[in-house]
């Protein structure tokens, strides 16, 4: 009996140990499996977003092709199209999609890639894109646009907790939801965002020493007077100073918006006592003023700061906020290098955002130079475009600092382009297209 009891005890111990080992192995396998699953899921999602980005970029580049006659610009755009198509095909191959569901996208990318390559060969021997080629580009563009609507619509339907792996059947006859959803959604382009965050040359801070500030240093007390003059009814608190490219005195300003305080953070440069920036949190309530009044307020605010000849060159409303880009216009010449971005709260009837680093860095006295007229420059614009506005301007140029240029605002289909022709050389300096994004309209 004792031997039997001892044997049972030993057996129980062995079985218990085995259960512990199996449990540990199961946990290890489960953790490893979930780790691999997470890594695979992340890889799939990354590839999917890359495909979406490729289609969006392709649509913009194809639409730009029709807007330029410059061989150099055409070559750059065709090269980007060719490379983006190759990237898109590679990322499609990384997704768990059945062949019949992606053949349309895959075929389009391959066809576009081959067509762009053939045009590149013609470009390198000095041949411009011909009328028949433009017809083919427009046909490809329309196909890309249709797929763009579908694939972006599908991406918007995905939730943060969505799992590609949970929506895929890896069988040979796969018709899983993820695969079907890529090209199965209905096109929907009825909702157009309205907020324009950036206009032409909104990132025009050139990489050079600061030339736009007066040399005289101001005291902290003098900088306080600047802030109190701008916000006479605000509660102002000094937060200290900062060093860096711009040395500044910093303040917090609290505005009473119907018992809902709005906080502003204001920076004044030590050199020259210049209003460098205003950032805000929150918004006002009440009856908003008109857009025209908001634009006028932004222009008057610049005068109050001590900057003359500043006019709106770009604006857009989003809710009760109005975003206005100001630039100096001197002798009918727009100085884009000196851009100031202003945010106006239409309900509070005051400025709650100000970004003037470009002006502080670049502002100086300039003169517009030209060796060709605006009519000759306009002849370089593609015949497919309709020119709706012409301007003289000085624009940032990453190679030479700044250039005198003619600005042509043009339309094609429902699109708007900003094209800049060097007024000395006749070279196309830049071409931008207004595009719609989920966050508003941007220039690319």
């Amino acid at each position: 009996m004792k031997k039997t009891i001892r044997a049972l005890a030993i057996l129980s111990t062995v079985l218990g140990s085995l259960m512990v080992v199996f449990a540990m192995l199961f946990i290890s396998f489960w953790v490893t499996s979930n780790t691999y699953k997470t890594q695979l899921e992340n890889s799939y999602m990354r590839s999917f977003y890359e495909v979406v980005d490729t289609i969006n970029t392709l649509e913009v580049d194809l639409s730009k092709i029709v807007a330029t006659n410059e061989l150099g610009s055409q070559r750059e755009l065709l090269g980007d199209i060719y490379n983006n198509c190759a990237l898109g095909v590679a990322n499609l191959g990384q997704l768990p999609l059945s062949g019949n569901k992606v053949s349309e996208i895959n075929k389009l990318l391959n066809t576009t890639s081959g067509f762009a390559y053939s045009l590149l060969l013609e470009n390198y021997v000095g041949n411009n894109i011909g009328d028949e080629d433009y017809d083919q580009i427009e046909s490809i563009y329309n196909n890309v646009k249709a797929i763009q609507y579908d694939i972006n619509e599908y991406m918007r339907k995905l939730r943060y907790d969505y799992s590609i792996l949970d929506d895929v059947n890896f069988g040979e006859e796969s018709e899983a939801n993820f695969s079907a959803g890529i090209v199965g959604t209905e096109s929907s382009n009825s909702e157009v965002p309205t907020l324009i965050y950036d206009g032409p040359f909104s990132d025009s801070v050139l990489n050079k020493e600061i030339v736009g500030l007066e040399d005289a240093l101001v005291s902290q007390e003098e900088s306080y007077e600047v802030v109190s003059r701008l916000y006479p009814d605000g509660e102002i608190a000094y937060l200290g100073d900062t060093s860096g490219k711009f040395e500044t005195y910093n303040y917090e300003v609290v505005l009473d918006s119907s018992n809902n305080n709005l906080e502003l953070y204001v920076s004044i440069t030590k050199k020259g006592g210049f209003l460098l920036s205003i950032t805000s949190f929150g918004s006002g309530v009440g009856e908003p003023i008109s857009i025209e009044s908001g634009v006028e307020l932004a222009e008057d605010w610049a005068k109050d700061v001590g900057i003359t000849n500043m006019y709106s060159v770009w604006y857009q409303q989003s809710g009760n906020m109005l975003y206005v880009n100001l630039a100096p216009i001197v002798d009918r010449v727009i100085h884009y290098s000196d851009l100031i971005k202003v945010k106006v709260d239409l309900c509070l009837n005051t400025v709650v955002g100000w970004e003037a680093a470009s002006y502080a860095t670049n502002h100086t006295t300039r003169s517009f130079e030209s060796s060709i007229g605006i009519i000759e420059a306009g002849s370089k614009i593609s015949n497919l475009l309709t020119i709706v506005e012409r301007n003289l301007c000085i624009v940032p140029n990453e190679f030479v600092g700044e250039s005198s240029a003619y600005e042509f605002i043009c339309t094609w289909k429902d699109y708007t382009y900003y094209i800049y022709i060097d007024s000395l050389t006749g070279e196309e300096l830049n071409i931008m297209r207004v595009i719609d994004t989920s966050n508003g309209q941007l220039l690319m």
Side-chain angles (χ1 to χ4, degrees):
M1 178 65 71
K2 291 182 179 180
K3 290 181 179 181
T4 300
I5 293 174
R6 188 180 299 113
L8 289 173
I10 294 173
L11 180 60
S12 298
T13 302
V14 171
L15 290 174
S17 299
L18 288 173
M19 290 180 65
V20 171
V21 170
F22 284 135
M24 293 178 65
L25 289 174
F26 175 78
I27 293 173
S28 176
F29 174 79
W30 183 82
V31 170
T32 302
S33 176
N34 276 276
T35 299
Y36 286 148
K37 180 179 179 181
T38 300
Q39 292 174 347
L40 185 59
E41 177 73 27
N42 291 338
S43 177
Y44 284 155
M45 291 299 291
R46 181 168 57 251
S47 295
F48 176 58
Y49 287 135
E50 288 287 349
V51 170
V52 176
D53 185 64
T54 294
I55 297 296
N56 290 335
T57 303
L58 185 60
E59 184 269 333
V60 173
D61 287 343
L62 284 168
S63 72
K64 283 185 175 183
I65 283 285
V66 304
T68 179
N69 289 325
E70 287 278 337
L71 283 173
S73 296
Q74 289 178 355
R75 185 178 305 134
E76 181 178 354
L77 287 168
L78 289 170
D80 289 343
I81 290 170
Y82 177 80
N83 292 326
N84 271 323
C85 287
L87 180 63
V89 170
N91 280 295
L92 269 177
Q94 299 299 316
L95 291 172
L97 300 169
S98 57
N100 63 320
K101 286 297 181 182
V102 295
S103 59
E104 182 181 352
I105 301 177
N106 205 35
K107 180 180 178 181
L108 178 62
L109 292 177
N110 280 305
T111 299
T112 305
S113 176
F115 183 62
Y117 184 74
S118 68
L119 293 180
L120 272 173
L121 294 180
E122 290 293 320
N123 182 280
Y124 278 112
V125 297
N127 294 330
N128 271 305
I129 297 175
D131 291 339
E132 292 183 0
D133 296 325
Y134 278 124
D135 291 340
Q136 185 65 36
I137 289 172
E138 184 169 356
S139 176
I140 292 174
Y141 173 82
N142 290 333
N143 288 328
V144 169
K145 191 70 176 176
I147 289 178
Q148 181 191 32
Y149 288 142
D150 289 341
I151 201 167
N152 279 278
E153 179 70 16
Y154 185 61
M155 186 177 71
R156 283 191 289 269
K157 291 181 178 180
L158 302 184
R159 299 294 185 262
Y160 290 108
D161 58 351
Y162 174 81
S163 171
I164 291 179
L165 286 174
D166 292 342
D167 221 0
V168 170
N169 180 349
F170 288 97
E172 294 182 0
E173 302 298 327
S174 174
E175 293 293 344
N177 290 335
F178 175 70
S179 182
I182 291 293
V183 292
T185 56
E186 295 182 0
S187 297
S188 174
N189 62 336
S190 57
E191 295 183 5
V192 180
T194 56
L195 173 58
I196 296 178
Y197 288 110
D198 298 300
F201 304 103
S202 59
D203 298 321
S204 58
V205 178
L206 305 178
N207 187 21
K208 61 182 182 180
E209 63 178 293
I210 298 170
V211 299
L213 298 178
E214 297 179 3
D215 291 331
L217 296 177
V218 301
S219 65
Q220 187 263 313
E221 290 76 13
E222 290 172 317
S223 69
Y224 182 91
E225 292 177 3
V226 174
V227 180
S228 61
R229 187 177 70 251
L230 295 173
Y231 296 104
D233 298 326
E235 296 181 11
I236 304 172
Y238 178 56
L239 301 178
D241 58 358
T242 57
S243 300
K245 181 177 181 179
F246 296 100
E247 295 185 347
T248 62
Y249 299 109
N250 306 307
Y251 296 89
E252 179 188 51
V253 180
V254 178
L255 303 179
D256 183 10
S257 173
S258 300
N259 299 319
N260 183 20
N261 290 338
L262 177 66
E263 299 177 2
L264 308 177
Y265 294 89
V266 183
S267 294
I268 307 294
T269 61
K270 295 182 180 180
K271 186 178 179 181
F274 179 73
L275 176 63
L276 185 66
S277 67
I278 302 172
T279 56
S280 62
F281 300 91
S283 61
V285 295
E287 187 67 25
I289 61 175
S290 66
I291 293 178
E292 292 76 14
S293 297
V295 171
E296 184 178 354
L297 173 62
E299 294 176 343
D300 289 341
W301 189 273
K303 295 177 185 177
D304 292 340
V305 172
I307 310 174
T308 58
N309 297 324
M310 297 295 288
Y311 299 94
S312 169
V313 294
W314 185 279
Y315 68 86
Q316 185 65 38
Q317 181 184 10
S318 175
N320 292 327
M321 294 297 174
L322 182 69
Y323 297 82
V324 184
N325 283 3
L326 302 178
I329 300 180
V330 182
D331 295 330
R332 299 184 300 111
V333 179
I334 303 172
H335 292 218
Y336 277 117
S337 300
D338 299 350
L339 204 66
I340 295 178
K341 291 182 278 189
V342 187
K343 178 182 176 183
V344 177
D345 190 315
L346 297 175
C347 290
L348 286 180
N349 193 19
T350 191
V351 170
V352 295
W354 175 275
E355 200 283 295
S358 293
Y359 186 98
T361 302
N362 305 324
H363 180 66
T364 186
T365 301
R366 312 172 178 89
S367 59
F368 183 86
E369 300 177 344
S370 65
S371 60
I372 65 172
I374 196 169
I375 301 300
E376 181 181 350
S379 68
K380 299 178 179 295
I381 303 298
S382 170
N383 293 330
L384 297 178
L385 301 185
T386 300
I387 300 175
V388 296
E389 187 175 332
R390 301 170 177 84
N391 295 302
L392 311 180
C393 55
I394 294 175
V395 301
N397 187 320
E398 60 180 322
F399 301 108
V400 297
E402 292 179 339
S403 295
S404 297
Y406 296 113
E407 175 187 66
F408 295 92
I409 304 176
C410 310
T411 59
W412 175 70
K413 292 183 178 293
D414 295 328
Y415 302 128
T416 300
Y417 300 83
Y418 286 72
I419 302 175
Y420 298 86
I421 305 296
D422 193 306
S423 59
L424 288 173
T425 66
E427 175 190 1
E428 184 180 279
L429 293 175
N430 209 332
I431 175 173
M432 306 176 188
R433 199 203 95 189
V434 180
I435 66 167
D436 298 320
T437 74
S438 59
N439 293 319
Q441 290 182 310
L442 303 172
L443 279 174
M444 289 185 64

